[in-house]
Amino acid sequence: MLKLPLHWQIVIGLILGVFYGILSASMGWSQFTVDWIVPIGDIFLNLLKLIAVPLVLGSLIMGIASLSDVKKLSRIGGKTICIYIVTTAIAVTLGLVLVNALEPGKNVPQDLQQKLQETYQADAQVGMDRAASAKERGPLQVFVDMVPDNIFSAVGNNRNMLQVVFFAILFGIALVLIPQEKGKPIVDLFDGLTFAIIKIVNLVMIIAPIGVFALITKTIDQVAKDDLSAVGELLGALGFYCVVVILGLVIHGLVVYPILLKIFTSMPLTRFYRGIAPAQLLAFSSSSSGATLPVTMEMCEKNLGVSEEVSSFVLPLGATINMDGTALYQAVAAVFIAQALGLELDLTAQLQIILTAVLASIGTAAVPGAGIIMLVIILETVGVPTAGIALILGVDRILDMCRTALNVTGDAAVATSVASMEGQLNLELEEPAVDV
Ligand code: ASP
């Protein structure tokens, strides 16, 4: 039997959820929906939150531990991580500029915003209280908060994700520094842990269509109770949100990377894009930069002339920690949700998004749908109700395809730049073969 690809299943879940939500609201089935449908969405959401901490711990520690010896760690590693972080920060900033300028969330009509706000009022109050208390703290407090004094309390609360990330980086570096035979059992353990968690992500994604159905039903039912026309406007607003994310991804891919390549290499841009196209297409159709990695490496070596030494180190690390597309999307999504719920995010909150999105994208696993899990953490950090992801979950798979293509492009652009800086970029290669 031909199995429908997951993204189509999710689109169908979304469409059915919209229909059922409207039906439920207009037929007065609200109580049934709240009793029997809404909990399914909550379970799906809880599952996503459940795996966030082990996912970050496992994939981040593995990413750092793959810097297997100290000389590489300090030289190539230093350059690579610097460029990764700078390009990711640019991506987040670009996303923030676009979402603040175009305000796709404000497209959500006033009365709809009002209803959404009422629905999430309790959560919003908590967020506002946190924002108020944050204002009273000193400038370095954010760094103090990043450093946990107890790892078990850090991993015991999803709100402490920055502390978990900090610990994972420290632990990963320590694993690189200790003798290999001592570190190996731990590396193997985290390798296994990461594999198992990624399997859980796959399993959770099986019920994603139903989860999306339930979450969208909940939203539609709540907002459409007495005004069905608001639903059309809500979906219109989602379309605009998608356009903003995709616009950001395109600008980043066609402006930021060419600038990076111009600064560090003399590679013709057409050659870069033609050479990397097969990996981009595979990333787009698989939504997984991890699954695309072998192809990315091959294209970089064969088509772009990146040396094996650089590609075998920079690209696996990049697939784990460098996700410009994901970071840009997370920034747009976080502000979109806040706008749709009528919440103001001040400058401090926006700066917090830059920091958290850079770190969250580092901790995002290179598998389908991982980005939205980390979005939950960003929302929690800036005090936006996490249930707001129900608004965007329905279109997430489509955006996942687009952001994954950018993630892979970013890894290749950085690998090419680092290879050029290291004198390990062969520009004399024949014109690339572009077969997929
Ligand atoms: N699917 C993305 C990747 O593999 C991660 C994400 O969900 O943003 O690169």
Side-chain angles (χ1 to χ4, degrees):
M1 201 181 78
L2 201 69
K3 198 168 173 295
L4 204 59
L6 183 64
H7 60 278
W8 285 118
Q9 295 180 31
I10 293 179
V11 169
I12 291 171
L14 165 76
I15 294 170
L16 291 180
V18 171
F19 277 121
Y20 178 79
I22 295 172
L23 201 64
S24 160
S26 50
M27 303 293 280
W29 298 344
S30 202
Q31 197 52 47
F32 173 83
T33 303
V34 168
D35 287 346
W36 295 98
I37 309 286
V38 170
I40 299 172
D42 293 341
I43 289 171
F44 178 60
L45 205 59
N46 283 353
L47 282 170
L48 292 178
K49 290 184 183 181
L50 171 71
I51 48 184
V53 168
L55 195 62
V56 171
L57 263 185
S59 71
L60 196 52
I61 288 174
M62 284 312 296
I64 307 273
S66 68
L67 298 159
S68 53
D69 84 70
V70 184
K71 267 194 218 139
K72 268 191 182 175
L73 173 72
S74 50
R75 202 188 66 240
I76 306 183
K79 287 178 195 164
T80 307
I81 289 173
C82 266
I83 307 181
Y84 277 160
I85 290 177
V86 170
T87 48
T88 307
I90 292 173
V92 179
T93 312
L94 175 62
L96 282 180
V97 168
L98 287 176
V99 74
N100 282 298
L102 300 175
E103 300 191 317
K106 295 266 163 81
N107 239 19
V108 182
Q110 200 71 47
D111 50 343
L112 189 59
Q113 273 185 31
Q114 198 78 42
K115 282 177 202 148
L116 287 166
Q117 266 186 71
E118 280 161 19
T119 313
Y120 299 118
Q121 202 177 23
D123 286 332
Q125 190 54 47
V126 175
M128 285 181 306
D129 291 347
R130 289 190 64 228
S133 69
K135 274 192 197 130
E136 288 158 17
R137 301 179 319 163
L140 291 182
Q141 192 59 37
V142 55
F143 296 106
V144 176
D145 289 347
M146 269 177 72
V147 183
D149 62 358
N150 183 315
I151 185 57
F152 294 104
S153 63
V155 297
N157 184 346
N158 282 354
R159 292 190 72 116
N160 293 337
M161 195 53 76
L162 278 182
Q163 298 189 346
V164 177
V165 167
F166 178 86
F167 175 77
I169 291 176
L170 196 62
F171 196 75
I173 291 174
L175 280 179
V176 176
L177 295 177
I178 62 175
Q180 225 179 3
E181 72 277 7
K182 296 268 185 228
K184 192 163 181 309
I186 302 285
V187 172
D188 288 346
L189 179 77
F190 278 104
D191 201 18
L193 176 79
T194 310
F195 260 91
I197 293 297
I198 287 173
K199 194 73 222 164
I200 297 179
V201 174
N202 293 338
L203 293 175
V204 173
M205 290 317 277
I206 294 174
I207 63 154
I210 300 168
V212 166
F213 172 86
L215 287 171
I216 286 291
T217 296
K218 177 180 177 179
T219 314
I220 303 271
D221 182 64
Q222 280 168 345
V223 300
K225 273 189 178 106
D226 42 17
D227 182 12
L228 283 178
S229 66
V231 177
E233 287 168 300
L234 179 66
L235 292 179
L238 272 189
F240 189 25
Y241 153 73
C242 291
V243 168
V244 174
V245 173
I246 292 169
L247 181 68
L249 297 176
V250 168
I251 294 176
H252 197 72
L254 295 182
V255 177
V256 177
Y257 294 144
I259 294 175
L260 181 76
L261 291 168
K262 275 270 166 287
I263 294 174
F264 293 112
T265 78
S266 49
M267 170 161 301
L269 293 178
T270 46
R271 169 154 172 200
F272 176 79
Y273 287 106
R274 286 183 64 197
I276 200 63
Q280 288 174 321
L281 288 175
L282 186 63
F284 185 78
S285 43
S286 70
S287 285
S288 168
S289 37
T292 310
L293 180 62
V295 178
T296 317
M297 289 176 75
E298 188 164 324
M299 294 306 122
C300 282
E301 287 167 26
K302 298 238 167 78
N303 292 348
L304 304 183
V306 176
S307 74
E308 200 185 322
E309 193 195 21
V310 169
S311 102
S312 65
F313 161 73
V314 176
L315 292 172
L317 183 68
T320 316
I321 70 167
N322 182 49
M323 299 202 182
D324 295 356
T326 299
L328 187 148
Y329 141 84
Q330 286 168 335
V332 175
V335 178
F336 169 79
I337 292 170
Q339 287 171 351
L341 301 182
L343 298 172
E344 278 300 323
L345 290 179
D346 59 8
L347 193 65
T348 323
Q350 307 254 356
L351 290 175
Q352 250 179 328
I353 291 180
I354 296 186
L355 184 67
T356 335
V358 170
L359 292 172
S361 69
I362 290 174
T364 301
V367 296
I372 201 159
I373 299 173
M374 300 308 295
L375 176 63
V376 171
I377 308 301
I378 296 173
L379 294 178
E380 289 197 341
T381 307
V382 289
V384 173
T386 54
I389 71 163
L391 290 175
I392 57 161
L393 215 47
V395 290
D396 198 64
R397 180 64 186 216
I398 295 147
L399 296 179
D400 196 1
M401 296 161 84
C402 302
R403 67 188 187 241
T404 308
L406 190 80
N407 289 344
V408 165
T409 313
D411 296 343
V414 176
T416 310
S417 304
V418 172
S420 177
M421 279 188 270
E422 291 286 312
Q424 296 193 36
L425 184 67
N426 179 5
L427 289 169
E428 306 302 314
L429 283 181
E430 302 257 304
E431 269 296 289
V434 193
D435 297 344
V436 184

